[in-house]
Amino acid sequence: MKRKYFGTNGIRGVVGERINPKFVSRMSSAIASYMLDKGTMAIGVDSRISSPTLKNSIIASFLANGIEVIDVGMVPTPLLQFAVPFLKADMGIMVTASHNPPEFNGMKIIDSDGIEIDIHKQIQIEQQYEKEEYQYVSWNENKKTAKMDVSTEYIEQIINLVDFEKIRKKNLTAVVDGGNGVGSLITPLLLRKLGVKVVSLNCQLDGNFPGRGVEPVPDKLSLMNSITTEIGADFSVAHDGDADRAIFGDNKGHIHFGDKSIALFEKWVLGQSDNKKFVTPISSSSIMVDIINEEGGEIFWTPVGCIYVSRKMIEKNCILGGEENGGLFYGPHQSVRDGMMAAALMAEILANSEKSLNELLSDFPHYYQRKNKLQCPENIKEDVMQYIILNAEEAEEIITIDGVKLLFSDGWTLIRPSGTEPIFRIFVEAKTAEKADVFMKNGLELVRNAIEKSIGKLQKPT
Ligand code: MG
Protein backbone atom coordinates (compact mmCIF):
# COMPACT_ATOMS: atom_id res chain seq x y z
CA MET A 1 0.00 0.00 0.00
CA LYS A 2 1.36 3.41 -0.97
CA ARG A 3 2.17 5.87 1.80
CA LYS A 4 1.23 9.52 1.53
CA TYR A 5 3.42 11.14 4.20
CA PHE A 6 6.14 8.65 5.18
CA GLY A 7 9.17 8.25 2.92
CA THR A 8 12.23 6.00 3.25
CA ASN A 9 13.17 7.61 6.59
CA GLY A 10 10.17 9.14 8.30
CA ILE A 11 8.26 12.24 7.25
CA ARG A 12 10.06 15.13 5.53
CA GLY A 13 9.27 18.31 3.66
CA VAL A 14 9.90 22.01 3.33
CA VAL A 15 9.12 24.00 6.48
CA GLY A 16 6.24 26.41 5.96
CA GLU A 17 4.81 24.18 3.25
CA ARG A 18 3.95 20.60 4.27
CA ILE A 19 5.96 20.77 7.49
CA ASN A 20 4.44 23.34 9.87
CA PRO A 21 3.28 23.39 13.53
CA LYS A 22 -0.28 22.42 12.63
CA PHE A 23 0.80 19.42 10.54
CA VAL A 24 3.26 18.04 13.12
CA SER A 25 0.71 18.57 15.90
CA ARG A 26 -1.99 16.65 14.04
CA MET A 27 0.51 13.92 13.07
CA SER A 28 1.66 13.68 16.71
CA SER A 29 -1.93 13.17 17.85
CA ALA A 30 -2.33 10.43 15.25
CA ILE A 31 0.89 8.76 16.48
CA ALA A 32 -0.15 9.15 20.12
CA SER A 33 -3.58 7.65 19.63
CA TYR A 34 -2.34 4.78 17.44
CA MET A 35 0.85 3.82 19.26
CA LEU A 36 0.36 4.52 22.90
CA ASP A 37 -2.18 3.87 25.54
CA LYS A 38 -0.64 6.48 27.84
CA GLY A 39 3.10 5.97 28.45
CA THR A 40 6.24 7.97 27.67
CA MET A 41 7.71 9.54 24.54
CA ALA A 42 11.36 10.70 24.19
CA ILE A 43 12.12 13.58 21.81
CA GLY A 44 15.36 14.88 20.30
CA VAL A 45 16.11 17.56 17.70
CA ASP A 46 18.86 18.34 15.20
CA SER A 47 20.47 21.77 14.70
CA ARG A 48 17.94 23.13 12.15
CA ILE A 49 16.50 26.61 12.66
CA SER A 50 12.91 25.27 12.59
CA SER A 51 13.58 22.37 15.01
CA PRO A 52 12.64 24.14 18.32
CA THR A 53 9.35 25.41 16.82
CA LEU A 54 8.34 21.97 15.62
CA LYS A 55 9.50 20.33 18.83
CA ASN A 56 7.25 22.56 20.94
CA SER A 57 4.26 21.77 18.77
CA ILE A 58 4.93 18.01 18.96
CA ILE A 59 5.42 18.07 22.74
CA ALA A 60 2.18 20.04 23.28
CA SER A 61 0.27 17.48 21.27
CA PHE A 62 1.64 14.48 23.21
CA LEU A 63 1.02 16.12 26.60
CA ALA A 64 -2.56 16.87 25.57
CA ASN A 65 -2.93 13.19 24.64
CA GLY A 66 -1.94 12.18 28.17
CA ILE A 67 1.60 11.08 27.36
CA GLU A 68 4.69 11.98 29.41
CA VAL A 69 7.54 13.52 27.40
CA ILE A 70 11.29 13.20 28.00
CA ASP A 71 13.23 15.91 26.18
CA VAL A 72 16.79 14.68 25.50
CA GLY A 73 17.72 17.94 23.78
CA MET A 74 19.78 18.58 20.67
CA VAL A 75 21.32 15.21 19.77
CA PRO A 76 22.29 12.99 16.83
CA THR A 77 19.53 10.59 15.73
CA PRO A 78 21.48 7.49 16.96
CA LEU A 79 21.70 9.06 20.43
CA LEU A 80 17.91 9.42 20.59
CA GLN A 81 17.64 5.81 19.36
CA PHE A 82 19.91 4.79 22.25
CA ALA A 83 17.87 6.91 24.70
CA VAL A 84 14.48 5.32 23.91
CA PRO A 85 15.26 1.79 25.24
CA PHE A 86 17.78 3.17 27.78
CA LEU A 87 15.10 5.38 29.39
CA LYS A 88 12.45 2.67 28.88
CA ALA A 89 10.37 5.11 26.84
CA ASP A 90 7.57 3.65 24.74
CA MET A 91 8.66 5.52 21.63
CA GLY A 92 10.76 8.39 20.32
CA ILE A 93 10.51 11.23 17.84
CA MET A 94 13.55 12.80 16.22
CA VAL A 95 12.93 16.19 14.64
CA THR A 96 15.30 16.14 11.66
CA ALA A 97 15.53 16.10 7.89
CA SER A 98 18.83 14.18 7.95
CA HIS A 99 20.93 15.28 4.92
CA ASN A 100 18.28 17.47 3.22
CA PRO A 101 18.90 21.22 2.69
CA PRO A 102 18.31 23.75 5.55
CA GLU A 103 14.74 24.63 4.53
CA PHE A 104 13.62 21.02 5.12
CA ASN A 105 12.63 19.36 8.37
CA GLY A 106 10.69 16.30 9.46
CA MET A 107 10.07 13.54 11.98
CA LYS A 108 11.68 10.13 12.39
CA ILE A 109 9.43 7.92 14.52
CA ILE A 110 11.33 5.50 16.76
CA ASP A 111 9.79 2.33 18.23
CA SER A 112 10.39 1.18 21.83
CA ASP A 113 13.39 -0.93 20.69
CA GLY A 114 15.19 2.12 19.27
CA ILE A 115 14.54 1.24 15.61
CA GLU A 116 12.38 3.34 13.28
CA ILE A 117 8.82 2.03 13.02
CA ASP A 118 8.07 -0.39 10.18
CA ILE A 119 5.91 0.28 7.13
CA HIS A 120 2.87 -1.45 8.64
CA LYS A 121 2.85 1.01 11.56
CA GLN A 122 3.49 3.94 9.23
CA ILE A 123 0.35 3.05 7.25
CA GLN A 124 -1.72 2.72 10.44
CA ILE A 125 -0.56 6.16 11.60
CA GLU A 126 -1.43 7.70 8.23
CA GLN A 127 -4.91 6.19 8.42
CA GLN A 128 -5.32 7.60 11.92
CA TYR A 129 -4.13 11.00 10.66
CA GLU A 130 -6.74 11.01 7.88
CA LYS A 131 -9.56 9.99 10.26
CA GLU A 132 -8.74 12.89 12.60
CA GLU A 133 -10.40 11.25 15.60
CA TYR A 134 -8.29 12.26 18.57
CA GLN A 135 -9.01 11.77 22.22
CA TYR A 136 -7.47 14.69 24.07
CA VAL A 137 -7.39 14.03 27.82
CA SER A 138 -9.24 16.23 30.30
CA TRP A 139 -7.58 19.34 31.76
CA ASN A 140 -6.27 17.60 34.87
CA GLU A 141 -4.74 14.67 32.95
CA ASN A 142 -2.37 16.74 30.81
CA LYS A 143 1.17 15.44 31.40
CA LYS A 144 4.59 17.02 32.03
CA THR A 145 7.92 17.23 30.26
CA ALA A 146 11.20 16.17 31.90
CA LYS A 147 14.61 17.11 30.50
CA MET A 148 17.33 14.47 30.46
CA ASP A 149 20.87 14.34 29.08
CA VAL A 150 22.02 10.80 28.29
CA SER A 151 25.07 11.69 26.19
CA THR A 152 27.49 10.55 28.95
CA GLU A 153 25.92 7.07 29.06
CA TYR A 154 25.85 6.91 25.26
CA ILE A 155 29.54 7.81 24.92
CA GLU A 156 30.43 5.40 27.72
CA GLN A 157 28.68 2.51 25.96
CA ILE A 158 30.66 3.14 22.76
CA ILE A 159 33.97 3.43 24.63
CA ASN A 160 33.27 0.12 26.41
CA LEU A 161 32.81 -1.60 23.04
CA VAL A 162 36.23 -0.72 21.61
CA ASP A 163 39.80 -1.41 22.74
CA PHE A 164 40.37 1.84 24.62
CA GLU A 165 43.95 1.07 25.75
CA LYS A 166 45.12 0.11 22.29
CA ILE A 167 43.59 3.22 20.71
CA ARG A 168 45.11 5.48 23.36
CA LYS A 169 48.61 4.03 22.85
CA LYS A 170 48.47 4.52 19.09
CA ASN A 171 48.35 8.36 19.31
CA LEU A 172 46.04 8.77 16.35
CA THR A 173 45.02 12.10 14.84
CA ALA A 174 41.66 12.65 13.15
CA VAL A 175 39.88 15.48 11.36
CA VAL A 176 36.14 15.61 12.18
CA ASP A 177 33.89 17.56 9.79
CA GLY A 178 30.59 17.95 11.64
CA GLY A 179 28.95 19.86 8.78
CA ASN A 180 27.42 22.28 11.38
CA GLY A 181 25.17 19.41 12.45
CA VAL A 182 24.59 17.55 15.72
CA GLY A 183 27.44 15.06 15.16
CA SER A 184 29.67 17.99 16.17
CA LEU A 185 28.39 17.61 19.74
CA ILE A 186 29.55 14.01 20.14
CA THR A 187 32.21 12.76 17.71
CA PRO A 188 35.07 15.16 18.68
CA LEU A 189 34.37 14.53 22.38
CA LEU A 190 34.13 10.76 21.93
CA LEU A 191 37.37 10.51 19.94
CA ARG A 192 39.23 12.76 22.42
CA LYS A 193 38.05 10.53 25.27
CA LEU A 194 39.59 7.63 23.34
CA GLY A 195 42.91 9.48 23.22
CA VAL A 196 42.63 10.55 19.57
CA LYS A 197 43.90 14.05 18.77
CA VAL A 198 41.00 15.81 17.02
CA VAL A 199 40.99 18.77 14.66
CA SER A 200 37.38 19.84 14.29
CA LEU A 201 36.00 21.47 11.17
CA ASN A 202 32.48 22.92 10.73
CA CYS A 203 31.68 21.86 14.27
CA GLN A 204 29.79 25.04 15.22
CA LEU A 205 26.05 24.26 15.25
CA ASP A 206 24.35 26.39 12.61
CA GLY A 207 20.95 25.71 11.04
CA ASN A 208 22.00 27.47 7.83
CA PHE A 209 24.72 24.81 7.40
CA PRO A 210 27.19 27.36 5.97
CA GLY A 211 30.29 25.11 6.20
CA ARG A 212 29.95 22.55 3.43
CA GLY A 213 26.21 21.87 3.28
CA VAL A 214 24.28 19.17 5.11
CA GLU A 215 25.17 16.17 2.97
CA PRO A 216 28.76 14.85 3.12
CA VAL A 217 29.23 14.32 -0.62
CA PRO A 218 32.85 13.85 -1.79
CA ASP A 219 33.14 17.15 -3.71
CA LYS A 220 32.18 19.11 -0.56
CA LEU A 221 34.89 17.51 1.54
CA SER A 222 38.03 18.96 -0.08
CA LEU A 223 38.85 21.20 2.92
CA MET A 224 38.63 18.18 5.25
CA ASN A 225 40.97 16.30 2.90
CA SER A 226 43.53 19.09 2.61
CA ILE A 227 43.64 19.60 6.41
CA THR A 228 44.15 15.83 6.79
CA THR A 229 47.18 15.76 4.51
CA GLU A 230 48.51 19.11 5.81
CA ILE A 231 48.64 17.99 9.45
CA GLY A 232 49.39 14.31 8.68
CA ALA A 233 46.18 12.98 10.27
CA ASP A 234 45.47 9.24 10.23
CA PHE A 235 41.88 9.56 9.07
CA SER A 236 38.99 11.98 8.67
CA VAL A 237 35.27 11.57 9.20
CA ALA A 238 32.29 13.62 8.01
CA HIS A 239 28.67 13.26 9.15
CA ASP A 240 25.33 14.10 7.57
CA GLY A 241 22.93 16.49 9.37
CA ASP A 242 21.76 14.01 12.03
CA ALA A 243 25.00 11.98 12.17
CA ASP A 244 23.57 8.55 11.56
CA ARG A 245 26.02 8.27 8.67
CA ALA A 246 29.82 8.58 8.56
CA ILE A 247 31.91 9.15 5.45
CA PHE A 248 35.62 8.47 5.88
CA GLY A 249 38.67 10.02 4.26
CA ASP A 250 42.08 8.35 4.42
CA ASN A 251 45.50 9.74 5.40
CA LYS A 252 46.19 10.70 1.76
CA GLY A 253 43.03 12.82 1.56
CA HIS A 254 40.96 10.39 -0.49
CA ILE A 255 37.26 9.94 0.30
CA HIS A 256 35.93 6.37 0.45
CA PHE A 257 32.21 6.67 0.00
CA GLY A 258 30.42 3.73 1.49
CA ASP A 259 31.24 0.32 0.08
CA LYS A 260 34.98 0.23 0.79
CA SER A 261 34.79 1.62 4.31
CA ILE A 262 31.89 -0.73 5.11
CA ALA A 263 34.02 -3.58 3.72
CA LEU A 264 36.81 -2.60 6.11
CA PHE A 265 34.42 -2.71 9.09
CA GLU A 266 33.04 -6.04 7.84
CA LYS A 267 36.51 -7.58 7.65
CA TRP A 268 37.50 -6.27 11.09
CA VAL A 269 34.31 -7.10 12.99
CA LEU A 270 33.71 -10.53 11.40
CA GLY A 271 37.40 -11.37 11.84
CA GLN A 272 37.12 -10.70 15.61
CA SER A 273 33.82 -12.40 16.31
CA ASP A 274 32.25 -15.87 16.34
CA ASN A 275 29.04 -14.27 15.08
CA LYS A 276 29.82 -13.69 11.39
CA LYS A 277 26.35 -12.69 10.17
CA PHE A 278 26.19 -9.52 8.10
CA VAL A 279 23.25 -7.61 6.58
CA THR A 280 23.36 -5.27 3.60
CA PRO A 281 20.92 -3.89 0.99
CA ILE A 282 20.65 -5.49 -2.41
CA SER A 283 22.48 -2.49 -3.99
CA SER A 284 25.77 -3.10 -2.15
CA SER A 285 29.02 -3.98 -3.89
CA SER A 286 30.29 -7.53 -4.46
CA ILE A 287 33.20 -6.63 -2.12
CA MET A 288 30.78 -7.48 0.72
CA VAL A 289 30.45 -11.04 -0.66
CA ASP A 290 34.22 -11.39 -1.20
CA ILE A 291 34.81 -10.66 2.51
CA ILE A 292 32.02 -13.00 3.62
CA ASN A 293 33.73 -15.75 1.60
CA GLU A 294 37.15 -14.91 3.11
CA GLU A 295 35.85 -14.83 6.69
CA GLY A 296 33.47 -17.79 6.35
CA GLY A 297 30.48 -15.63 7.24
CA GLU A 298 26.86 -15.41 6.18
CA ILE A 299 25.28 -12.52 4.27
CA PHE A 300 21.61 -11.44 4.35
CA TRP A 301 20.26 -9.13 1.63
CA THR A 302 17.48 -6.60 2.24
CA PRO A 303 15.56 -4.01 0.23
CA VAL A 304 17.24 -0.59 0.12
CA GLY A 305 16.52 1.35 3.35
CA CYS A 306 18.00 1.38 6.85
CA ILE A 307 14.82 0.13 8.56
CA TYR A 308 15.03 -3.14 6.58
CA VAL A 309 18.67 -3.59 7.58
CA SER A 310 17.91 -2.97 11.27
CA ARG A 311 14.92 -5.32 11.33
CA LYS A 312 16.86 -8.08 9.54
CA MET A 313 19.74 -7.72 12.02
CA ILE A 314 17.33 -8.35 14.89
CA GLU A 315 15.54 -11.21 13.12
CA LYS A 316 18.75 -13.09 12.22
CA ASN A 317 20.85 -12.02 15.23
CA CYS A 318 23.50 -10.38 13.03
CA ILE A 319 26.52 -8.58 14.41
CA LEU A 320 26.91 -6.03 11.63
CA GLY A 321 25.04 -4.17 8.90
CA GLY A 322 26.26 -1.69 6.31
CA GLU A 323 24.96 0.59 3.56
CA GLU A 324 26.91 2.12 0.68
CA ASN A 325 25.82 5.64 1.80
CA GLY A 326 28.05 5.36 4.88
CA GLY A 327 25.52 3.78 7.26
CA LEU A 328 27.16 1.37 9.73
CA PHE A 329 25.08 -0.78 12.11
CA TYR A 330 27.04 -2.39 14.95
CA GLY A 331 24.86 -4.94 16.78
CA PRO A 332 26.65 -5.00 20.16
CA HIS A 333 25.94 -1.23 20.42
CA GLN A 334 22.55 -0.94 18.70
CA SER A 335 21.10 -2.33 15.48
CA VAL A 336 20.70 1.10 13.88
CA ARG A 337 23.15 3.11 11.81
CA ASP A 338 25.38 5.20 13.98
CA GLY A 339 28.06 7.60 12.72
CA MET A 340 29.70 8.00 16.13
CA MET A 341 30.06 4.23 16.64
CA ALA A 342 31.59 4.03 13.15
CA ALA A 343 34.19 6.72 14.04
CA ALA A 344 35.20 4.83 17.22
CA LEU A 345 35.47 1.52 15.35
CA MET A 346 37.64 3.19 12.70
CA ALA A 347 40.03 4.34 15.46
CA GLU A 348 40.10 0.76 16.78
CA ILE A 349 40.88 -0.69 13.34
CA LEU A 350 43.77 1.75 12.81
CA ALA A 351 45.09 1.15 16.35
CA ASN A 352 45.33 -2.56 15.52
CA SER A 353 47.02 -2.18 12.16
CA GLU A 354 50.57 -1.46 11.03
CA LYS A 355 49.12 -0.20 7.75
CA SER A 356 47.69 3.26 7.08
CA LEU A 357 44.01 3.64 6.17
CA ASN A 358 44.99 4.29 2.57
CA GLU A 359 46.95 1.02 2.47
CA LEU A 360 44.17 -0.95 4.19
CA LEU A 361 41.56 0.26 1.70
CA SER A 362 43.86 -0.30 -1.29
CA ASP A 363 43.97 -4.00 -0.39
CA PHE A 364 40.33 -4.45 -1.44
CA PRO A 365 39.46 -5.41 -5.03
CA HIS A 366 38.12 -2.56 -7.11
CA TYR A 367 34.74 -2.90 -8.80
CA TYR A 368 33.40 -0.51 -11.40
CA GLN A 369 29.91 0.88 -10.90
CA ARG A 370 27.58 2.90 -13.13
CA LYS A 371 24.25 4.54 -12.32
CA ASN A 372 21.52 5.77 -14.67
CA LYS A 373 17.74 6.25 -14.80
CA LEU A 374 14.85 6.12 -17.26
CA GLN A 375 11.44 7.82 -17.15
CA CYS A 376 8.54 5.39 -16.76
CA PRO A 377 4.80 6.01 -16.08
CA GLU A 378 3.73 4.84 -12.59
CA ASN A 379 0.92 2.59 -13.81
CA ILE A 380 3.15 0.26 -15.86
CA LYS A 381 6.02 -0.21 -13.39
CA GLU A 382 4.78 -3.65 -12.30
CA ASP A 383 4.43 -4.84 -15.94
CA VAL A 384 7.91 -3.53 -16.72
CA MET A 385 9.39 -5.58 -13.88
CA GLN A 386 7.56 -8.73 -15.05
CA TYR A 387 8.86 -8.22 -18.59
CA ILE A 388 12.43 -7.82 -17.29
CA ILE A 389 12.19 -11.03 -15.23
CA LEU A 390 10.90 -13.00 -18.24
CA ASN A 391 13.36 -11.56 -20.75
CA ALA A 392 16.68 -11.36 -18.88
CA GLU A 393 17.88 -14.52 -20.61
CA GLU A 394 21.60 -14.17 -19.89
CA ALA A 395 21.22 -13.77 -16.13
CA GLU A 396 22.48 -16.70 -14.05
CA GLU A 397 20.25 -15.76 -11.13
CA ILE A 398 17.44 -13.25 -10.56
CA ILE A 399 16.74 -11.73 -7.14
CA THR A 400 13.50 -9.80 -6.59
CA ILE A 401 13.86 -8.52 -2.99
CA ASP A 402 13.68 -4.92 -4.21
CA GLY A 403 13.27 -4.33 -7.96
CA VAL A 404 15.05 -6.92 -10.12
CA LYS A 405 18.69 -7.84 -9.61
CA LEU A 406 20.29 -9.81 -12.44
CA LEU A 407 23.42 -11.72 -11.45
CA PHE A 408 26.04 -12.63 -14.06
CA SER A 409 29.34 -14.47 -13.65
CA ASP A 410 31.28 -11.20 -13.85
CA GLY A 411 28.94 -8.62 -12.28
CA TRP A 412 25.33 -7.59 -11.77
CA THR A 413 22.57 -5.20 -12.87
CA LEU A 414 19.96 -3.85 -10.47
CA ILE A 415 16.78 -2.29 -11.86
CA ARG A 416 14.59 -0.57 -9.25
CA PRO A 417 11.40 1.48 -9.61
CA SER A 418 11.61 4.72 -7.60
CA GLY A 419 9.07 4.91 -4.78
CA THR A 420 8.62 8.67 -5.19
CA GLU A 421 9.28 9.53 -8.88
CA PRO A 422 8.09 8.09 -12.23
CA ILE A 423 11.48 6.58 -13.00
CA PHE A 424 13.44 3.32 -12.98
CA ARG A 425 16.97 3.44 -11.56
CA ILE A 426 19.57 1.22 -13.20
CA PHE A 427 22.68 0.36 -11.24
CA VAL A 428 25.45 -1.96 -12.48
CA GLU A 429 28.73 -3.32 -11.17
CA ALA A 430 31.52 -5.24 -12.93
CA LYS A 431 35.18 -6.15 -12.54
CA THR A 432 36.31 -3.92 -15.44
CA ALA A 433 35.22 -0.47 -16.63
CA GLU A 434 34.50 -1.82 -20.12
CA LYS A 435 32.26 -4.57 -18.78
CA ALA A 436 30.39 -2.07 -16.57
CA ASP A 437 29.66 0.03 -19.67
CA VAL A 438 28.36 -3.06 -21.49
CA PHE A 439 26.11 -3.99 -18.54
CA MET A 440 24.71 -0.45 -18.46
CA LYS A 441 24.06 -0.44 -22.22
CA ASN A 442 22.25 -3.80 -22.00
CA GLY A 443 20.36 -2.76 -18.87
CA LEU A 444 19.07 0.45 -20.46
CA GLU A 445 18.02 -1.45 -23.59
CA LEU A 446 16.18 -4.07 -21.53
CA VAL A 447 14.27 -1.44 -19.52
CA ARG A 448 13.47 0.61 -22.67
CA ASN A 449 12.06 -2.50 -24.38
CA ALA A 450 10.07 -3.39 -21.26
CA ILE A 451 8.55 0.12 -21.09
CA GLU A 452 7.68 0.08 -24.80
CA LYS A 453 6.03 -3.36 -24.58
CA SER A 454 4.13 -2.44 -21.40
CA ILE A 455 2.77 0.78 -22.92
CA GLY A 456 1.77 -1.22 -26.03
CA LYS A 457 -0.07 -3.75 -23.84
CA LEU A 458 -1.90 -0.92 -22.08
CA GLN A 459 -3.05 0.61 -25.38
CA LYS A 460 -4.21 -2.68 -26.93
CA PRO A 461 -8.05 -2.73 -27.36
CA THR A 462 -9.70 -5.38 -25.24
MG1 MG B 1 20.89 10.90 8.36
Side-chain angles (χ1 to χ4, degrees):
M1 194 177 161
K2 227 172 155 49
R3 290 159 296 164
K4 192 170 166 189
Y5 303 105
F6 280 87
T8 320
N9 283 115
I11 297 164
R12 276 184 217 166
V14 173
V15 175
E17 294 174 16
R18 169 185 278 183
I19 303 295
N20 55 54
K22 187 179 167 190
F23 172 81
V24 297
S25 169
R26 189 175 148 190
M27 189 55 80
S28 296
S29 284
I31 296 165
S33 50
Y34 166 67
M35 286 194 72
L36 301 177
D37 179 19
K38 307 292 176 271
T40 308
M41 185 275 276
I43 189 165
V45 295
D46 71 7
S47 61
R48 285 166 196 273
I49 291 169
S50 59
S51 290
T53 310
L54 300 175
K55 177 174 94 170
N56 285 322
S57 191
I58 293 166
I59 289 177
S61 188
F62 274 89
L63 299 178
N65 276 277
I67 288 157
E68 306 267 2
V69 174
I70 304 174
D71 178 3
V72 300
M74 202 181 278
V75 291
T77 296
L79 203 154
L80 176 74
Q81 293 180 292
F82 165 83
V84 171
F86 181 78
L87 297 170
K88 298 191 172 49
D90 298 287
M91 63 167 301
I93 291 186
M94 181 71 197
V95 180
T96 182
S98 186
H99 60 274
N100 289 131
E103 64 272 24
F104 281 73
N105 214 332
M107 302 159 80
K108 285 184 179 177
I109 322 298
I110 314 298
D111 223 327
S112 57
D113 59 1
I115 300 173
E116 279 180 69
I117 56 166
D118 61 25
I119 288 171
H120 172 72
K121 286 186 178 171
Q122 294 170 10
I123 291 168
Q124 299 290 324
I125 288 169
E126 290 199 353
Q127 286 169 348
Q128 190 70 32
Y129 176 91
E130 297 292 350
K131 274 196 281 179
E132 232 182 323
E133 290 167 4
Y134 312 127
Q135 304 274 322
Y136 291 124
V137 294
S138 70
W139 64 273
N140 56 352
E141 286 174 334
N142 275 254
K143 295 295 179 183
K144 288 181 185 157
T145 308
K147 283 189 195 286
M148 253 183 228
D149 179 353
V150 294
S151 56
T152 307
E153 290 82 356
Y154 171 80
I155 289 173
E156 216 165 81
Q157 175 160 305
I158 295 178
I159 290 175
N160 287 337
L161 287 167
V162 291
D163 191 340
F164 169 68
E165 279 306 319
K166 202 129 195 198
I167 298 171
R168 198 179 53 79
K169 281 189 193 137
K170 187 79 176 188
N171 287 323
L172 295 165
T173 303
V175 179
V176 176
D177 183 342
N180 305 112
V182 281
S184 314
L185 294 167
I186 304 292
T187 304
L189 181 65
L190 167 69
L191 290 177
R192 283 182 185 128
K193 276 182 183 277
L194 287 167
V196 178
K197 202 183 291 167
V198 174
V199 172
S200 57
L201 169 68
N202 300 320
C203 281
Q204 319 87 317
L205 299 181
D206 189 328
N208 289 305
F209 301 99
R212 46 93 173 146
V214 198
E215 189 166 18
V217 285
D219 64 353
K220 296 282 173 68
L221 300 174
S222 50
L223 186 56
M224 179 177 90
N225 290 335
S226 54
I227 294 172
T228 305
T229 51
E230 191 68 34
I231 64 168
D234 299 284
F235 73 99
S236 60
V237 57
H239 295 302
D240 68 326
D242 64 337
D244 54 352
R245 295 194 281 131
I247 300 297
F248 290 94
D250 68 23
N251 49 303
K252 290 199 170 170
H254 299 143
I255 295 296
H256 298 272
F257 201 87
D259 283 334
K260 275 200 179 170
S261 56
I262 296 298
L264 184 64
F265 289 118
E266 188 188 354
K267 194 172 167 59
W268 171 249
V269 172
L270 268 51
Q272 301 295 305
S273 168
D274 291 334
N275 179 346
K276 294 182 191 293
K277 291 192 266 185
F278 172 70
V279 184
T280 198
I282 197 77
S283 54
S284 291
S285 168
S286 305
I287 307 178
M288 311 294 163
V289 181
D290 294 341
I291 293 165
I292 286 294
N293 292 338
E294 263 175 48
E295 298 294 334
E298 198 177 347
I299 194 162
F300 297 95
W301 300 103
T302 68
V304 176
C306 67
I307 303 174
Y308 298 111
V309 177
S310 291
R311 296 276 164 218
K312 186 63 86 179
M313 280 184 78
I314 302 284
E315 181 197 329
K316 300 289 181 186
N317 183 32
C318 299
I319 190 165
L320 195 74
E323 294 178 317
E324 59 99 23
N325 62 8
L328 184 85
F329 309 62
Y330 186 51
H333 174 49
Q334 51 179 353
S335 295
V336 300
R337 55 186 184 191
D338 188 320
M340 281 59 62
M341 185 71 236
L345 272 177
M346 181 58 83
E348 185 181 58
I349 291 170
L350 293 174
N352 279 280
S353 173
E354 291 306 314
K355 291 183 177 179
S356 69
L357 182 55
N358 180 269
E359 289 165 335
L360 282 170
L361 291 166
S362 308
D363 287 346
F364 291 117
H366 188 74
Y367 287 93
Y368 294 81
Q369 298 178 334
R370 304 280 184 269
K371 287 179 184 178
N372 213 325
K373 57 187 174 187
L374 280 176
Q375 294 286 328
C376 173
E378 282 296 336
N379 59 342
I380 60 164
K381 278 180 172 173
E382 204 44 55
D383 283 343
V384 169
M385 301 236 281
Q386 286 309 319
Y387 179 91
I388 292 166
I389 292 168
L390 293 172
N391 290 277
E393 285 145 8
E394 284 162 31
E396 290 184 359
E397 197 185 333
I398 298 177
I399 302 175
T400 55
I401 290 175
D402 184 357
V404 185
K405 188 171 186 179
L406 309 171
L407 300 177
F408 307 98
S409 59
D410 45 2
W412 51 262
T413 300
L414 175 64
I415 298 159
R416 289 180 64 231
S418 162
T420 50
E421 297 169 77
I423 56 169
F424 265 94
R425 295 185 199 281
I426 300 120
F427 188 17
V428 306
E429 186 182 79
K431 284 182 179 163
T432 64
E434 295 73 32
K435 195 74 204 180
D437 291 333
V438 172
F439 278 160
M440 182 51 81
K441 187 173 155 282
N442 293 345
L444 286 169
E445 199 177 297
L446 182 60
V447 180
R448 270 195 206 104
N449 283 341
I451 293 172
E452 215 168 274
K453 288 283 185 316
S454 302
I455 290 175
K457 208 170 108 187
L458 204 68
Q459 287 167 345
K460 220 182 256 175
T462 49

